[in-house]
Structure formats: structure tokens, C-alpha cells
Amino acid sequence: MVITALTLVTVLLYLAATVALGARLLLHEERSPARSTALALAAAAVGTHVVVVGDTTWVDDGLNLSIFSALSLVSWITSTGLVIVSLRQRVEHLGILLWPLSAMAVMLTLFAAPEATLDRELAVQIHIVISMTAYATLLAAVLQALILGALDYRLRHRQATGFVRQLPALRTMEKQLFWLITVGFVALTVALGSGFLFFLDRLLEGMMIHKTSLSMASWLAFATLLIGHAVWGWRGQTAIRWTLVGFLALMFGYFGSKFVLELILQQ
């Protein structure tokens, strides 16, 4: 009962942070909430969210990484990172997409499967944490790409009004995008390496071929983008497209397979 109440409080805090941020992006500076208001609400949300994550993910028999618990964990990592980084840089605009997603992910934990899905072996848990960090960072990257795409479109059509004026410069947002992709790519590389190390027997049996194949496709997409950016100066719409392709492959590989196994085949 307490966790249910805390879950609902977390949802409301995320939505309140979204409203405060949306008002700041859409209204004139003097009429909008202070930047600190949205960040304070988001900080409170991640503070209560971590309790929900602890209750739904770390259970007595091991790690519960059913699809809804995993979504909640990834959204918490991303939201926490956003709040921390926003204290030093202007990246809080990502919250306009992230915080509603986090609110939905938290609400879905009320329907999470109660049983643990992984054992308590430390090496496996380290692999899972690295993987979730990679997913979380690349989630932030794809949200940045979507907002960057909207900004690029508005600027190309000479519509630099409304929320566009509250966003960082286009070049700054592109630098932020490639920073997120680089960090996420490194984490994804470590996660894939540790996955091959810890789950080689399952791979040889073909038990994880779908997830591994799509994860490798995602890795190749992000590697191609980073090489293209460094060598040929890829940016703008090209960078946005490659980011979307890489992220979708990664999400279909992990959450897509979980969706089929847990929500379709179990019915």
C-alpha cells in the first residue's frame, strides 16, 4: 500500500515537473516558472522513484527485470542523470519528453510481475547495471535527437518562435547529442563484451540470438555514426536518422523480446 501511494506521488511529481518545464519553454521568461522549479520537482520525483525501483527491481530472490520493472529502472537512471547534468549545463529541455515517459514507466510498475527473473550472481548484476546505463544514456540521446530535429525544422522554415527561443543553440545541441551517443556507445560496448563473457553458453544454444543480433546491429549503427561524424562531418538530419535507427534496434532487441515473451505469449 505504501509503495502504491509512493508510485502515484512519483507520477504526479514527474507530471508537475513536465508542466513547469513546458510553461518555461512556451511562455515569456518573466511569466514562466523559474528553471529551478522544474528541476526541484524532477529531483523530488527521482528521489521517490528510486524507492519504487528498489522495491520492484531488487527482490529477495534476485533481480526482477520484467518489462515494466526494466522500463522503470531505465527511466530512473535517465531522469537522475538529466537532473544532475542540468545543474551544470542547459539540458533540462529533454525533460519535456523524458519526464512524461518516466511517469508512465513508474505507473506501469503497478502491473510488474512479482517474481525475480535473474539470480543474485554479482557478475550478472554488474552486466545488467552496465546494460541499463547504456540504454538510459542512449534514450537521452534519442530524445535529444527528436528535439534537435524539431529545432532544425523550425529554423529551416524560419519559425524561430515559442519554445525554440528557450533551447540552446543548434550547434550546442548537436555537441550534446554526440556526447550522449559517445558515452552510451562506450557503455553499450562494455555491456556487449560482458554479455558474451557471462552468457556465452546461452548464445551457443541460440537462446539469446534475437536480442544479441539486434544489440549488435545497434552497436554497428552508432559506430557508423560516430565514424561518419569524425571523418566526414555527419551532423543534422543524418545524425538524427542514424540515432533513431540505432536506438530502435536496441529497444526492439531487449524490450521487444520481453514484450513478446511476457505480454503476448503468456496470455
Side-chain angles (χ1 to χ4, degrees):
M1 189 67 181
V2 174
I3 289 299
T4 300
L6 201 58
T7 298
L8 297 176
V9 168
T10 303
V11 170
L12 292 175
L13 285 170
Y14 274 128
L15 294 179
T18 304
V19 171
L21 179 61
R24 180 169 178 79
L25 291 176
L26 295 176
L27 300 177
H28 293 296
E29 188 78 21
E30 62 274 9
R31 293 162 48 195
S32 65
R35 177 175 180 266
S36 58
T37 301
L39 290 179
L41 289 167
V46 299
T48 55
H49 191 173
V50 70
V51 180
V52 178
V53 167
D55 180 77
T56 57
T57 304
W58 275 271
V59 293
D60 293 337
D61 298 326
L63 281 172
N64 176 16
L65 285 180
S66 59
I67 184 170
F68 297 147
S69 294
L71 283 170
S72 176
L73 177 58
V74 169
S75 67
W76 175 76
I77 295 172
T78 312
S79 295
T80 301
L82 177 60
V83 170
I84 293 173
V85 175
S86 294
L87 298 177
R88 299 290 299 273
Q89 300 183 41
R90 286 185 59 198
V91 293
E92 69 276 0
H93 55 270
L94 293 178
I96 202 67
L97 298 178
L98 174 61
W99 294 333
L101 288 175
S102 297
M104 180 184 68
V106 176
M107 180 62 73
L108 288 174
T109 60
L110 295 175
F111 307 98
E115 70 275 5
T117 59
L118 289 172
D119 58 39
R120 298 178 68 90
E121 184 179 348
L122 180 60
V124 175
Q125 292 195 13
I126 291 175
H127 164 74
I128 293 299
V129 170
I130 295 172
S131 299
M132 292 299 167
T133 301
Y135 298 154
T137 308
L138 293 172
L139 171 60
V142 80
L143 296 179
Q144 177 81 346
L146 292 173
I147 295 175
L148 180 61
L151 175 61
D152 182 66
Y153 177 86
R154 295 289 293 269
L155 292 177
R156 287 176 183 273
H157 291 78
R158 304 182 186 278
Q159 298 175 358
T161 58
F163 76 95
V164 172
R165 295 188 177 185
Q166 301 298 326
L167 294 175
L170 185 66
R171 185 58 61 91
T172 299
M173 291 190 64
E174 284 186 339
K175 290 181 179 179
Q176 293 171 347
L177 173 62
F178 280 102
W179 180 82
L180 288 168
I181 292 172
T182 301
V183 173
F185 177 76
V186 171
L188 181 59
T189 302
V190 176
L192 286 173
S194 62
F196 281 113
L197 180 64
F198 300 139
F199 301 110
L200 182 59
D201 55 338
R202 299 185 189 180
L203 290 174
L204 293 176
E205 294 173 3
M207 296 173 61
M208 302 176 65
I209 190 65
H210 170 76
K211 174 186 173 183
T212 304
S213 298
L214 285 172
S215 296
M216 287 299 301
S218 175
W219 186 90
L220 288 172
F222 286 116
T224 301
L225 173 56
L226 291 173
I227 293 172
H229 177 66
V231 177
W232 299 293
W234 288 1
R235 51 191 291 267
Q237 294 299 319
T238 301
I240 293 170
R241 284 193 292 269
W242 278 98
T243 302
L244 291 174
V245 168
F247 179 78
L248 288 175
L250 187 64
M251 290 299 102
F252 280 127
Y254 186 75
F255 289 103
S257 59
K258 279 186 170 293
F259 178 82
V260 173
L261 290 173
E262 296 180 19
L263 301 182
I264 296 180
L265 296 183
Q266 292 296 327
Q267 292 183 355

